[in-house]
Amino acid sequence: MPPHPLRRPIRELPDELISQIAAGEVVERPASVVRELVDNALDAGATQITVRLLAGGVRLISVEDDGLGIQPDELPLAFRRHATSKIGNLQDLESVATMGFRGEALAAINSIADCAILSRASGQSAAHLLDGRTGELKPVARNQGTTVEVKELFYSTPARRKFLKTDATELAHCIESVRRHALARPDVGFAIWHEGKLVEQWRRCEDPALVTSLNQRLADVLGADFIAQSIAVDWRSASAARAQGEPSTESNQGPSALRVWGRVGIPDAARARADQQFCYVNGRFVRDKVLTHAARSAYEDVLHGHRQPIYALYLAMDPARVDVNVHPTKIEVRFRDSREVHQGVRHAVEDTLAAPRAGTATDPGNAGAQGNGPDTASSPGAIGQAGSPNGLSVDGHMKNRAVAPMYSAQPAINFGARTEPLGHRVSDIGMLWQPSASPQGGWAAEGFAQVKEEPAQRAGDTEQNPLPPNHPAHEDTAQAWPLGRAIAQLQGIYILAENTQGLVIVDMHAAHERIVYERLKNQLAQQTAEGASNTVAQLSSQPLLIPATFAATPSEVATAEAHFTTLQTLGLEISPFSPKTLAVRAVPTSLAQGDAVELARSVLAELAQHDASTVIQRAQNELLATMACHGAVRANRKLTIEEMNALLRQMEATERSDQCNHGRPTWRQLTVRELDALFLRGR
């Protein structure tokens, strides 16, 4: 048995020990000090911030700014605990609009390092230097602004210093900390010096236009490829959209106004790591599960595998609706209405990604720019890498298969005649959720039934019939089509088309799969909006002969009881078996052979974290994607030139048509310049 502990009296801790305990929460490494000091410089209205480091910030951290400065009589208060100019009462704390507000960072840093502050306030004839150890204050020479020096970090707590990494690693963390600030404030210039050498510099953007200056700063910090591979976002909630004139500000926003802007990467630019995902709330860099999940949800059916999207998103909202006082480092926040924020971010990203790039990206310079860099997916110009992974085609055939049986005996699709489709009609919501055999010709006919009659329903198209391959009267119209004019079919899988840039290669199964999928989603949404069904459409379920029971946590029991109706919509029936046990009595028909307990646990965990409507929509989309995959035109099916042109025109008018339902690309561009390079022309 452990020895009986000796009784110790309760006593008040000394101030220095209290500050050192606080430093353990606030100061993890030199980058933590850099973040706190740059926060203070931004709050002081600085337009130029210079960070100087020695030994990765361990020996010296110096942050200089040209802000308002500190009055001489206020300097001695700077190193005292909970002394700040940011807040003065509870109302200020509940609506924090500054980067810092706790008033404990400088005191905590001063307890574990040798600190000094040199500052000259606006209107003062001289600057003053305050020594953090002795408290001595003396006049010195300096321009308006403030310099904070932190020397020998963790000198008073040598055990903490042993946990630091190499100087190069600590320097990288310091640069990353400043980089996050630089992305949020294009109106401020930043410079980082290490061992007397300039390692990073981002000049101040003078352009008053927010979008222009932000794009310039994003290009400077993340590279020009980020701009070339991303799309601008500017979304406002209903209350924010009512604001007139310039983008919403704190003064003209309503209490529930939300604005989301920035840039989101195209699916082809996704990376293996989530190292280019930046979220800001009222100018503060945050890591928040709500924002991360919302952004990821918007990419659900356009990303392949476990690729990570790239984005820089900025949220503006009433400071009273977000709590930043939930973490010592202020990197985590809590939203008053997380569901509204989640929906706003998701809709903002989804709406931006919905526009097909095939219908707008006609610049030859942009066609080959997608997906540059080692971590990106293959670009439209990289034909050699654009196929399906592992050397498989969309139907699972090896790409080095025999060429002789190019086409099977399947008949060509009838684009003109409106035949009765096989399987269930999309408008029949009740039947839509019932399991059925995989239709072959029916969904293909449904997807193309109206194409021949209306092949060019988009801006600028005037012809109402697909053009023959070499019709001389329509050459100009054909050249205006972004995906060009079909010229041949390759191996029964790919469509070859010619446009103004060169050669377009289309995976016809993947392209048709996306077209059918988007049509199914639109028709389901329309039927739901029109109130075609009195009850929510439910997935068909299969009762279990013997209920599967499992030991549940209190959270799982509460979630099962609170979301009983939602679970029924998903085809699940989960009810309490005992105070600490749940029983799964029915599962979705399509998952009847799976692990019922594992399915129940995963669904309950997702319902506990996210909105029920989001979970239902995801389940519905997964089923529609499966139906679209089975219903799309298959490989080895011979298409006529008119049918191929009809498919290209629908791709140009269909949302998210650049990727199939599984995130694979549907088309690739090979420019004339790239073709010339293959044959060494001009060399």
Side-chain angles (χ1 to χ4, degrees):
M1 294 181 61
H4 187 70
L6 298 177
R7 183 185 180 281
R8 294 184 178 183
I10 299 176
R11 57 182 180 271
E12 187 177 1
L13 297 177
D15 289 343
E16 184 177 4
L17 181 57
I18 294 174
S19 297
Q20 290 175 345
I21 294 174
E25 298 177 341
V26 177
V27 182
E28 179 184 359
R29 59 195 334 148
S32 305
V33 177
V34 172
R35 182 190 65 247
E36 295 290 346
L37 298 184
V38 174
D39 281 348
N40 289 339
L42 293 174
D43 288 339
T47 59
Q48 178 63 44
I49 299 176
T50 302
V51 180
R52 303 182 188 276
L53 306 170
L54 293 178
V58 178
R59 288 175 48 201
L60 171 68
I61 299 174
S62 174
V63 177
E64 307 171 6
D65 68 65
D66 59 352
L68 298 175
I70 306 175
Q71 295 291 338
D73 57 338
E74 297 177 4
L75 271 175
L77 298 175
F79 286 129
R80 293 188 183 179
R81 290 190 304 112
H82 306 303
T84 180
S85 61
K86 314 297 176 59
I87 60 175
N89 51 48
L90 180 60
Q91 183 178 0
D92 294 339
L93 180 61
E94 292 178 345
S95 58
V96 175
T98 55
M99 300 298 294
F101 59 90
R102 290 177 177 272
E104 62 180 359
L106 286 178
I109 296 171
N110 189 46
S111 67
I112 57 173
D114 187 6
C115 300
I117 298 180
L118 172 63
S119 182
R120 177 179 175 180
S122 175
Q124 294 292 319
S125 58
H128 290 79
L129 174 64
L130 174 65
D131 189 296
R133 292 287 94 190
T134 63
E136 179 184 2
L137 185 66
K138 58 182 180 181
V140 292
R142 192 202 190 281
N143 293 329
Q144 178 180 328
T146 302
T147 300
V148 181
E149 290 187 353
V150 179
K151 299 179 180 178
E152 302 300 332
L153 189 64
F154 296 127
Y155 85 97
S156 60
T157 54
R160 293 287 304 278
R161 198 162 186 170
K162 296 179 181 178
F163 289 92
L164 297 179
K165 306 300 181 182
T166 63
D167 292 351
T169 300
E170 298 301 335
L171 172 62
H173 285 285
C174 292
I175 294 176
E176 179 64 21
S177 178
V178 180
R179 187 172 76 147
R180 292 170 179 171
H181 285 92
L183 289 175
R185 295 295 301 271
D187 58 325
V188 179
F190 294 86
I192 306 175
W193 295 74
H194 185 250
E195 303 289 349
K197 298 180 181 179
L198 181 66
V199 293
E200 287 289 356
Q201 183 178 22
W202 301 296
R203 300 185 182 277
R204 178 187 180 190
C205 301
E206 302 288 347
D207 197 316
L210 175 62
V211 175
T212 304
S213 60
L214 179 60
N215 288 342
Q216 181 62 45
R217 177 55 59 86
L218 288 172
D220 292 342
V221 178
L222 302 179
D225 286 347
F226 181 87
I227 300 297
Q229 300 168 7
S230 61
I231 313 170
V233 180
D234 193 356
W235 181 91
R236 292 173 174 83
S237 62
S239 54
R242 286 193 291 267
Q244 301 295 327
E246 293 299 320
S248 301
T249 61
E250 184 180 350
S251 58
N252 62 18
Q253 280 185 334
S256 61
L258 172 66
R259 183 191 175 197
V260 182
W261 78 97
R263 298 190 72 87
V264 294
I266 60 177
D268 288 338
R271 301 165 67 92
R273 298 185 302 161
D275 57 347
Q276 285 200 5
Q277 298 180 356
F278 302 91
C279 289
Y280 295 85
V281 178
N282 292 339
R284 184 191 308 276
F285 174 80
V286 298
R287 286 197 186 100
D288 184 78
K289 294 181 179 179
V290 173
L291 301 180
T292 303
H293 184 271
R296 179 68 190 187
S297 298
Y299 280 90
E300 271 184 348
D301 57 1
V302 294
L303 277 188
H304 181 62
H306 298 284
R307 306 286 291 179
Q308 296 293 332
I310 63 174
Y311 53 80
L313 294 174
Y314 303 82
L315 279 71
M317 58 193 309
D318 186 355
R321 299 177 59 233
V322 55
D323 185 5
V324 299
N325 189 26
V326 297
H327 195 274
T329 62
K330 303 182 291 292
I331 201 172
E332 297 179 5
V333 295
R334 183 180 295 114
F335 298 104
R336 180 177 297 180
D337 189 349
S338 59
R339 180 182 178 220
E340 178 193 7
V341 175
H342 184 281
Q343 294 292 337
V345 173
R346 179 173 181 175
H347 290 161
V349 179
E350 274 186 344
D351 294 347
T352 303
L353 295 175
R357 298 192 306 280
T360 56
T362 57
D363 184 4
N366 292 337
Q370 304 172 20
N372 296 334
D375 290 330
T376 58
S378 52
S379 66
I383 297 300
Q385 307 171 1
S388 300
N390 304 323
L392 296 176
S393 73
V394 292
D395 291 307
H397 302 295
M398 295 301 294
K399 63 181 180 180
N400 295 326
R401 62 196 178 281
V403 179
M406 180 176 297
Y407 301 113
S408 65
Q410 300 176 19
I413 301 174
N414 187 349
F415 283 78
R418 178 78 175 188
T419 60
E420 184 65 23
L422 301 177
H424 304 308
R425 294 181 57 84
V426 180
S427 59
D428 191 344
I429 299 299
M431 297 299 293
L432 180 63
W433 298 107
Q434 300 297 327
S436 61
S438 301
Q440 297 295 328
W443 284 110
E446 180 74 11
F448 279 126
Q450 299 176 351
V451 173
K452 187 169 183 179
E453 297 177 3
E454 299 174 349
Q457 291 185 354
R458 59 184 188 88
D461 289 342
T462 58
E463 297 296 321
Q464 295 299 316
N465 292 292
L467 294 176
N470 294 303
H471 199 294
H474 301 289
E475 288 291 337
D476 294 339
T477 304
Q479 291 295 323
W481 290 334
L483 289 181
R485 177 181 60 183
I487 55 179
Q489 187 178 14
L490 179 64
Q491 296 287 337
I493 295 179
Y494 301 104
I495 295 174
L496 305 183
E498 177 189 8
N499 65 357
T500 56
Q501 302 171 34
L503 179 67
V504 176
I505 303 179
V506 177
D507 185 334
M508 65 180 192
H509 170 79
H512 190 208
E513 182 180 6
R514 169 60 71 176
I515 292 171
V516 176
Y517 176 48
E518 292 297 327
R519 178 167 295 167
L520 289 172
K521 289 198 302 183
N522 292 337
Q523 292 189 10
L524 177 61
Q526 181 179 2
Q527 294 293 337
T528 303
E530 293 175 355
S533 177
N534 295 328
T535 59
V536 178
Q538 298 184 2
L539 293 174
S540 60
S541 62
Q542 176 176 322
L544 299 179
L545 181 62
I546 301 177
T549 60
F550 63 96
T553 64
S555 175
E556 290 175 333
V557 174
T559 303
E561 294 177 348
H563 295 278
F564 182 78
T565 304
T566 302
L567 292 171
Q568 283 188 323
T569 303
L570 297 175
L572 278 167
E573 183 180 346
I574 304 176
S575 59
F577 189 78
S578 71
K580 296 183 179 180
T581 307
L582 289 176
V584 184
R585 304 184 183 276
V587 296
T589 304
S590 58
L591 302 176
Q593 302 301 322
D595 188 336
V597 173
E598 186 66 25
L599 174 64
R601 287 188 183 276
S602 62
V603 172
L604 290 175
E606 192 165 2
L607 285 173
Q609 294 183 4
H610 309 299
D611 182 63
S613 61
T614 302
V615 179
I616 295 176
Q617 182 181 0
R618 180 181 303 173
Q620 292 176 345
N621 288 345
E622 287 179 357
L623 181 58
L624 294 181
T626 301
M627 298 172 66
C629 182
H630 289 300
V633 59
R634 295 292 181 177
N636 296 332
R637 183 181 291 273
K638 185 175 181 179
L639 301 181
T640 66
I641 292 295
E642 291 183 351
E643 292 170 346
M644 288 186 253
N645 277 322
L647 177 60
L648 297 179
R649 302 292 77 78
Q650 276 213 338
M651 287 179 62
E652 295 165 355
T654 300
E655 294 183 345
R656 306 174 187 86
S657 61
D658 304 296
Q659 276 76 30
C660 74
N661 311 343
H662 313 291
R664 293 191 297 267
T666 59
W667 66 280
R668 292 300 188 192
Q669 175 79 58
L670 190 61
T671 64
V672 175
R673 179 177 299 179
E674 290 167 334
L675 288 170
D676 291 342
L678 291 176
F679 294 94
L680 304 181
R681 289 180 60 87
R683 297 188 182 180

mmCIF file of all heavy atoms in Angstrom, residues 328-354:
data_model
loop_
_atom_site.group_PDB
_atom_site.id
_atom_site.type_symbol
_atom_site.label_atom_id
_atom_site.label_comp_id
_atom_site.label_asym_id
_atom_site.label_seq_id
_atom_site.Cartn_x
_atom_site.Cartn_y
_atom_site.Cartn_z
ATOM 1 N N PRO A 328 -5.628 28.824 -23.154
ATOM 2 C CA PRO A 328 -4.585 29.804 -22.786
ATOM 3 C C PRO A 328 -3.875 30.421 -23.987
ATOM 4 O O PRO A 328 -3.494 31.592 -23.944
ATOM 5 C CB PRO A 328 -3.618 28.979 -21.927
ATOM 6 C CG PRO A 328 -4.436 27.862 -21.388
ATOM 7 C CD PRO A 328 -5.435 27.535 -22.457
ATOM 8 N N THR A 329 -3.681 29.653 -25.058
ATOM 9 C CA THR A 329 -2.992 30.190 -26.225
ATOM 10 C C THR A 329 -3.930 30.862 -27.213
ATOM 11 O O THR A 329 -3.478 31.345 -28.252
ATOM 12 C CB THR A 329 -2.225 29.060 -26.945
ATOM 13 O OG1 THR A 329 -3.151 28.079 -27.393
ATOM 14 C CG2 THR A 329 -1.218 28.412 -26.008
ATOM 15 N N LYS A 330 -5.215 30.874 -26.924
ATOM 16 C CA LYS A 330 -6.235 31.546 -27.740
ATOM 17 C C LYS A 330 -6.299 30.983 -29.160
ATOM 18 O O LYS A 330 -6.728 31.672 -30.078
ATOM 19 C CB LYS A 330 -5.979 33.058 -27.773
ATOM 20 C CG LYS A 330 -5.945 33.726 -26.407
ATOM 21 C CD LYS A 330 -5.750 35.203 -26.510
ATOM 22 C CE LYS A 330 -4.362 35.569 -27.007
ATOM 23 N NZ LYS A 330 -3.307 35.246 -26.027
ATOM 24 N N ILE A 331 -5.889 29.742 -29.361
ATOM 25 C CA ILE A 331 -5.922 29.147 -30.683
ATOM 26 C C ILE A 331 -7.211 28.362 -30.904
ATOM 27 O O ILE A 331 -7.514 27.940 -32.016
ATOM 28 C CB ILE A 331 -4.691 28.235 -30.895
ATOM 29 C CG1 ILE A 331 -4.428 28.037 -32.393
ATOM 30 C CG2 ILE A 331 -4.878 26.892 -30.195
ATOM 31 C CD1 ILE A 331 -3.137 27.325 -32.701
ATOM 32 N N GLU A 332 -7.989 28.154 -29.850
ATOM 33 C CA GLU A 332 -9.272 27.486 -29.951
ATOM 34 C C GLU A 332 -10.379 28.462 -29.579
ATOM 35 O O GLU A 332 -10.181 29.343 -28.734
ATOM 36 C CB GLU A 332 -9.329 26.258 -29.031
ATOM 37 C CG GLU A 332 -8.329 25.168 -29.390
ATOM 38 C CD GLU A 332 -8.405 23.991 -28.442
ATOM 39 O OE1 GLU A 332 -9.319 24.003 -27.572
ATOM 40 O OE2 GLU A 332 -7.578 23.072 -28.547
ATOM 41 N N VAL A 333 -11.525 28.301 -30.204
ATOM 42 C CA VAL A 333 -12.669 29.174 -29.944
ATOM 43 C C VAL A 333 -13.907 28.311 -29.766
ATOM 44 O O VAL A 333 -13.917 27.114 -30.073
ATOM 45 C CB VAL A 333 -12.882 30.191 -31.093
ATOM 46 C CG1 VAL A 333 -11.714 31.142 -31.193
ATOM 47 C CG2 VAL A 333 -13.106 29.470 -32.413
ATOM 48 N N ARG A 334 -14.955 28.931 -29.265
ATOM 49 C CA ARG A 334 -16.248 28.260 -29.125
ATOM 50 C C ARG A 334 -17.323 29.199 -29.670
ATOM 51 O O ARG A 334 -17.417 30.360 -29.249
ATOM 52 C CB ARG A 334 -16.531 27.922 -27.663
ATOM 53 C CG ARG A 334 -17.843 27.151 -27.472
ATOM 54 C CD ARG A 334 -18.102 26.824 -26.017
ATOM 55 N NE ARG A 334 -17.104 25.904 -25.488
ATOM 56 C CZ ARG A 334 -16.229 26.221 -24.537
ATOM 57 N NH1 ARG A 334 -16.242 27.437 -24.023
ATOM 58 N NH2 ARG A 334 -15.371 25.336 -24.098
ATOM 59 N N PHE A 335 -18.119 28.687 -30.606
ATOM 60 C CA PHE A 335 -19.159 29.501 -31.231
ATOM 61 C C PHE A 335 -20.466 29.363 -30.463
ATOM 62 O O PHE A 335 -20.801 28.285 -29.970
ATOM 63 C CB PHE A 335 -19.375 29.071 -32.688
ATOM 64 C CG PHE A 335 -18.166 29.240 -33.558
ATOM 65 C CD1 PHE A 335 -17.399 28.143 -33.924
ATOM 66 C CD2 PHE A 335 -17.788 30.493 -34.005
ATOM 67 C CE1 PHE A 335 -16.286 28.285 -34.731
ATOM 68 C CE2 PHE A 335 -16.677 30.653 -34.810
ATOM 69 C CZ PHE A 335 -15.924 29.547 -35.167
ATOM 70 N N ARG A 336 -21.195 30.476 -30.397
ATOM 71 C CA ARG A 336 -22.492 30.443 -29.731
ATOM 72 C C ARG A 336 -23.468 29.577 -30.517
ATOM 73 O O ARG A 336 -24.279 28.859 -29.930
ATOM 74 C CB ARG A 336 -23.034 31.872 -29.592
ATOM 75 C CG ARG A 336 -24.385 31.936 -28.910
ATOM 76 C CD ARG A 336 -24.847 33.372 -28.729
ATOM 77 N NE ARG A 336 -23.945 34.116 -27.848
ATOM 78 C CZ ARG A 336 -24.118 35.388 -27.532
ATOM 79 N NH1 ARG A 336 -25.151 36.062 -28.021
ATOM 80 N NH2 ARG A 336 -23.261 35.995 -26.738
ATOM 81 N N ASP A 337 -23.417 29.645 -31.844
ATOM 82 C CA ASP A 337 -24.266 28.815 -32.697
ATOM 83 C C ASP A 337 -23.353 28.103 -33.687
ATOM 84 O O ASP A 337 -23.137 28.563 -34.810
ATOM 85 C CB ASP A 337 -25.298 29.679 -33.430
ATOM 86 C CG ASP A 337 -26.351 28.837 -34.165
ATOM 87 O OD1 ASP A 337 -26.153 27.614 -34.274
ATOM 88 O OD2 ASP A 337 -27.358 29.408 -34.626
ATOM 89 N N SER A 338 -22.809 26.976 -33.270
ATOM 90 C CA SER A 338 -21.851 26.259 -34.114
ATOM 91 C C SER A 338 -22.524 25.693 -35.364
ATOM 92 O O SER A 338 -21.879 25.561 -36.405
ATOM 93 C CB SER A 338 -21.186 25.137 -33.317
ATOM 94 O OG SER A 338 -22.156 24.225 -32.823
ATOM 95 N N ARG A 339 -23.823 25.368 -35.261
ATOM 96 C CA ARG A 339 -24.516 24.827 -36.432
ATOM 97 C C ARG A 339 -24.595 25.863 -37.546
ATOM 98 O O ARG A 339 -24.372 25.555 -38.719
ATOM 99 C CB ARG A 339 -25.917 24.376 -36.036
ATOM 100 C CG ARG A 339 -26.709 23.791 -37.204
ATOM 101 C CD ARG A 339 -28.116 23.406 -36.797
ATOM 102 N NE ARG A 339 -28.863 22.887 -37.941
ATOM 103 C CZ ARG A 339 -30.118 23.163 -38.184
ATOM 104 N NH1 ARG A 339 -30.769 23.968 -37.403
ATOM 105 N NH2 ARG A 339 -30.734 22.638 -39.221
ATOM 106 N N GLU A 340 -24.894 27.101 -37.186
ATOM 107 C CA GLU A 340 -24.973 28.153 -38.200
ATOM 108 C C GLU A 340 -23.621 28.372 -38.863
ATOM 109 O O GLU A 340 -23.517 28.525 -40.084
ATOM 110 C CB GLU A 340 -25.466 29.449 -37.566
ATOM 111 C CG GLU A 340 -25.529 30.616 -38.545
ATOM 112 C CD GLU A 340 -25.717 31.943 -37.850
ATOM 113 O OE1 GLU A 340 -25.674 31.975 -36.614
ATOM 114 O OE2 GLU A 340 -25.883 32.951 -38.570
ATOM 115 N N VAL A 341 -22.561 28.366 -38.061
ATOM 116 C CA VAL A 341 -21.225 28.564 -38.613
ATOM 117 C C VAL A 341 -20.849 27.399 -39.519
ATOM 118 O O VAL A 341 -20.288 27.583 -40.606
ATOM 119 C CB VAL A 341 -20.205 28.737 -37.472
ATOM 120 C CG1 VAL A 341 -18.789 28.815 -38.022
ATOM 121 C CG2 VAL A 341 -20.518 29.988 -36.659
ATOM 122 N N HIS A 342 -21.158 26.181 -39.074
ATOM 123 C CA HIS A 342 -20.842 25.002 -39.884
ATOM 124 C C HIS A 342 -21.559 25.061 -41.226
ATOM 125 O O HIS A 342 -20.945 24.829 -42.286
ATOM 126 C CB HIS A 342 -21.242 23.735 -39.117
ATOM 127 C CG HIS A 342 -20.882 22.457 -39.796
ATOM 128 N ND1 HIS A 342 -21.630 21.930 -40.838
ATOM 129 C CD2 HIS A 342 -19.865 21.587 -39.599
ATOM 130 C CE1 HIS A 342 -21.088 20.805 -41.250
ATOM 131 N NE2 HIS A 342 -20.015 20.565 -40.510
ATOM 132 N N GLN A 343 -22.851 25.368 -41.200
ATOM 133 C CA GLN A 343 -23.613 25.439 -42.442
ATOM 134 C C GLN A 343 -23.104 26.562 -43.338
ATOM 135 O O GLN A 343 -23.027 26.411 -44.569
ATOM 136 C CB GLN A 343 -25.103 25.646 -42.130
ATOM 137 C CG GLN A 343 -25.760 24.479 -41.411
ATOM 138 C CD GLN A 343 -25.864 23.235 -42.279
ATOM 139 O OE1 GLN A 343 -25.840 23.325 -43.492
ATOM 140 N NE2 GLN A 343 -25.966 22.075 -41.652
ATOM 141 N N GLY A 344 -22.748 27.698 -42.732
ATOM 142 C CA GLY A 344 -22.259 28.816 -43.523
ATOM 143 C C GLY A 344 -20.965 28.489 -44.249
ATOM 144 O O GLY A 344 -20.819 28.760 -45.449
ATOM 145 N N VAL A 345 -20.016 27.909 -43.524
ATOM 146 C CA VAL A 345 -18.732 27.569 -44.147
ATOM 147 C C VAL A 345 -18.930 26.493 -45.209
ATOM 148 O O VAL A 345 -18.359 26.569 -46.307
ATOM 149 C CB VAL A 345 -17.731 27.102 -43.070
ATOM 150 C CG1 VAL A 345 -16.453 26.577 -43.709
ATOM 151 C CG2 VAL A 345 -17.414 28.235 -42.117
ATOM 152 N N ARG A 346 -19.748 25.506 -44.907
ATOM 153 C CA ARG A 346 -19.962 24.427 -45.884
ATOM 154 C C ARG A 346 -20.622 24.953 -47.151
ATOM 155 O O ARG A 346 -20.198 24.627 -48.260
ATOM 156 C CB ARG A 346 -20.811 23.323 -45.268
ATOM 157 C CG ARG A 346 -21.101 22.184 -46.232
ATOM 158 C CD ARG A 346 -21.789 21.020 -45.581
ATOM 159 N NE ARG A 346 -22.031 19.943 -46.534
ATOM 160 C CZ ARG A 346 -22.533 18.760 -46.215
ATOM 161 N NH1 ARG A 346 -22.845 18.502 -44.954
ATOM 162 N NH2 ARG A 346 -22.724 17.841 -47.128
ATOM 163 N N HIS A 347 -21.659 25.775 -46.999
ATOM 164 C CA HIS A 347 -22.337 26.308 -48.179
ATOM 165 C C HIS A 347 -21.407 27.218 -48.972
ATOM 166 O O HIS A 347 -21.440 27.215 -50.210
ATOM 167 C CB HIS A 347 -23.591 27.067 -47.767
ATOM 168 C CG HIS A 347 -24.679 26.183 -47.255
ATOM 169 N ND1 HIS A 347 -25.726 26.652 -46.479
ATOM 170 C CD2 HIS A 347 -24.897 24.853 -47.380
ATOM 171 C CE1 HIS A 347 -26.525 25.643 -46.164
ATOM 172 N NE2 HIS A 347 -26.045 24.545 -46.699
ATOM 173 N N ALA A 348 -20.587 27.996 -48.272
ATOM 174 C CA ALA A 348 -19.661 28.895 -48.968
ATOM 175 C C ALA A 348 -18.693 28.114 -49.842
ATOM 176 O O ALA A 348 -18.467 28.454 -51.011
ATOM 177 C CB ALA A 348 -18.894 29.741 -47.947
ATOM 178 N N VAL A 349 -18.126 27.056 -49.304
ATOM 179 C CA VAL A 349 -17.158 26.263 -50.071
ATOM 180 C C VAL A 349 -17.864 25.447 -51.149
ATOM 181 O O VAL A 349 -17.383 25.357 -52.286
ATOM 182 C CB VAL A 349 -16.353 25.355 -49.126
ATOM 183 C CG1 VAL A 349 -15.352 24.508 -49.914
ATOM 184 C CG2 VAL A 349 -15.617 26.187 -48.078
ATOM 185 N N GLU A 350 -19.004 24.844 -50.814
ATOM 186 C CA GLU A 350 -19.743 24.037 -51.796
ATOM 187 C C GLU A 350 -20.162 24.875 -52.996
ATOM 188 O O GLU A 350 -20.012 24.448 -54.149
ATOM 189 C CB GLU A 350 -20.975 23.415 -51.146
ATOM 190 C CG GLU A 350 -20.717 22.099 -50.450
ATOM 191 C CD GLU A 350 -22.006 21.456 -49.961
ATOM 192 O OE1 GLU A 350 -23.033 22.166 -49.886
ATOM 193 O OE2 GLU A 350 -21.989 20.248 -49.649
ATOM 194 N N ASP A 351 -20.713 26.060 -52.736
ATOM 195 C CA ASP A 351 -21.171 26.902 -53.835
ATOM 196 C C ASP A 351 -20.005 27.318 -54.730
ATOM 197 O O ASP A 351 -20.164 27.447 -55.949
ATOM 198 C CB ASP A 351 -21.876 28.149 -53.286
ATOM 199 C CG ASP A 351 -23.169 27.803 -52.560
ATOM 200 O OD1 ASP A 351 -23.632 26.653 -52.692
ATOM 201 O OD2 ASP A 351 -23.695 28.671 -51.838
ATOM 202 N N THR A 352 -18.844 27.522 -54.127
ATOM 203 C CA THR A 352 -17.682 27.924 -54.922
ATOM 204 C C THR A 352 -17.180 26.783 -55.783
ATOM 205 O O THR A 352 -16.815 26.976 -56.953
ATOM 206 C CB THR A 352 -16.563 28.408 -53.993
ATOM 207 O OG1 THR A 352 -17.048 29.487 -53.182
ATOM 208 C CG2 THR A 352 -15.365 28.891 -54.791
ATOM 209 N N LEU A 353 -17.164 25.576 -55.231
ATOM 210 C CA LEU A 353 -16.662 24.424 -55.978
ATOM 211 C C LEU A 353 -17.662 23.906 -57.002
ATOM 212 O O LEU A 353 -17.291 23.123 -57.880
ATOM 213 C CB LEU A 353 -16.311 23.289 -55.009
ATOM 214 C CG LEU A 353 -15.169 23.549 -54.033
ATOM 215 C CD1 LEU A 353 -15.038 22.383 -53.064
ATOM 216 C CD2 LEU A 353 -13.856 23.769 -54.775
ATOM 217 N N ALA A 354 -18.928 24.319 -56.892
ATOM 218 C CA ALA A 354 -19.969 23.756 -57.758
ATOM 219 C C ALA A 354 -19.785 24.150 -59.209
ATOM 220 O O ALA A 354 -20.088 23.368 -60.112
ATOM 221 C CB ALA A 354 -21.352 24.193 -57.264
#
